[in-house]
Amino acid sequence: MVRHLTELEKLAGAPLPAASEIADIFRRDDTAKLKSAAEYERIMRDLAFGVDFTDHMARAVWTVEEGWAQKEITQYAPLSLDPAAAVLHYGQEVFEGIKAYRHADGSVWTFRPAYNAARLNMSNRRLAIPELPVEDFLASLVGLIRADQKWVPEGAGASLYLRPFIIATEAFLGVRAAKRYDYLVIASPSGPYFKNGFEPINVWVDREYHRAGPGGMGNVKTGGNYAASLLPKVVAHENGYDEVLFMDAATNTYLDELGGMNVFVVKADGSVATPELTGNILPGGTRASIIELLTDIGVEVREERIALTQLLAQISAGEVVEMFACGTAAVVTPIGSLTGTDFSVEVPSGELTRRIHDEITAIQTGKQPDRFGWLYQLAGSDR
Ligand code: COI
């Protein structure tokens, strides 16, 4: 069966300008104060996820008069915000997650940036935020990486995690779309998202709270969806679980996603299933890439409604043999158990999850040829 590409996947295939053509769009402030050598050593020695940040950040400002302007690479520093800034009151905010990888020759690459640029604009449209030209998105990453190239770590599971985001900064308390926005990109030298790396996680299946409902914002990347996931996560952590699996809000019957990750199910017959994009689920770039990769190696992938009761029965009957979560931050992480108020099942570990993890990370880090054309070079080998 031929799979039709989503709008995002189509946009992700658009040709992009080379980094050298756009490297100067964000003007670098050469007076930025850099962290000390001791601080740099400390951060790079022991990489956590999203804890420490580099010397610079990218920034641009949107106003009604000028559109996106004031594009610069400046010192990483606290923001000065008016207490009436709309983002602080009504949550008008969108963000992305994308990584930079160092290859063996020292060059720095990123993974499917046009996908993230297109998804950022999908989120912008939903939150009534002006779209950011793809070229500006890309130029901000190139400019930031070129200023902070020494911060791209090397080694298994290590990357420079990039967090582009847009916030409504107009000082106004009326409820309407703001008339001023700030775009920023910050960067965090990071190790694995889960401290135990590629180890199975224990998942709490929540049927009390939902992260998003029909017509809401579940298919775009905005802070509110993550805020909605925090209370169930706190409770799950207190009870010893690593993550929460959310169900569809309309019927409480079908799997949605894990809040920060999509979910996949591997069947004993060798096929794979993942929840279809209903509008409540974030269309993950890693999710899309896994579907393409599996299809390429001859594995049948179905995007479909996955009913929890049926899934539990299939796990118990040995018809489901692996499950995993995936996302930019989490990459590919095996799921070791599912627990809810009235059930607890162990999910076996298997070879396919490991293979997908290894293939995706080998492409990202340049250890395997990029046969899908997913990589984009941000900078050369000079540090
Ligand atoms: C990402 O995977 O990049 C995300 O934004 C999700 C979050 C759990 C870090």
Side-chain angles (χ1 to χ4, degrees), residues 49 95-98 161 163 193 221 226 260-261 327-330:
F49 176 84
F95 73 97
E96 274 302 319
I98 183 166
Y161 183 78
R163 171 53 63 86
Y193 183 72
K221 215 160 166 60
Y226 296 76
M261 288 151 246
T328 299

Side-chain angles (χ1 to χ4, degrees), residues 327-374:
T328 299
V331 195
V332 173
T333 302
I335 292 177
S337 69
L338 294 180
T339 306
T341 46
D342 51 359
F343 65 87
S344 188
V345 291
E346 301 229 328
V347 185
S349 300
E351 281 310 301
L352 194 63
T353 305
R354 164 60 76 182
R355 178 169 177 196
I356 296 164
H357 171 275
D358 290 355
E359 288 217 15
I360 293 259
T361 52
I363 292 172
Q364 289 169 335
T365 54
K367 297 198 173 82
Q368 213 180 78
D370 174 23
R371 64 186 190 281
F372 302 101
W374 284 338

